[in-house]
Amino acid sequence: MTTVLTPASPLTAADRCDRCGAQAYLRVVLASGGELLFCAHHGRKFEPELKKISVEIHDESGRLTEPSTNASEDER
């Protein structure tokens, strides 16, 4: 059996953490075929366990530290 992973679509504000309902920044593709979404906090908290059961972890938590492109110069 061959498994083909397609590139994950970017996470949006509509994607919510399966643990707390906050905006999701991590998508975890499980070896069993499912997927879980986590906020940055819960992604870090459960990272050791998730690495054991996942085939892919798509992490967009870096977006939290990027400067906003909509902010004015005074806000930066």
Side-chain angles (χ1 to χ4, degrees):
M1 179 168 98
T2 303
T3 303
V4 177
L5 293 177
T6 58
S9 59
L11 294 166
T12 69
D15 293 310
R16 310 314 284 179
C17 176
D18 289 328
R19 182 73 178 163
C20 70
Q23 183 173 347
Y25 288 95
L26 280 87
R27 175 182 288 118
V28 180
V29 180
L30 303 173
S32 63
E35 76 174 21
L36 298 171
L37 300 176
F38 290 102
C39 64
H41 164 80
H42 285 112
R44 284 190 302 271
K45 181 177 180 178
F46 299 122
E47 182 179 18
E49 292 83 12
L50 293 172
K51 284 184 174 182
K52 295 175 187 175
I53 62 170
S54 68
V55 293
E56 179 183 0
I57 297 178
H58 177 78
D59 185 351
E60 295 183 13
S61 61
R63 292 178 18 210
L64 292 168
T65 57
E66 293 175 358
S68 172
T69 57
N70 295 332
S72 68
E73 279 299 314
D74 293 335
E75 294 175 314
R76 291 184 196 164

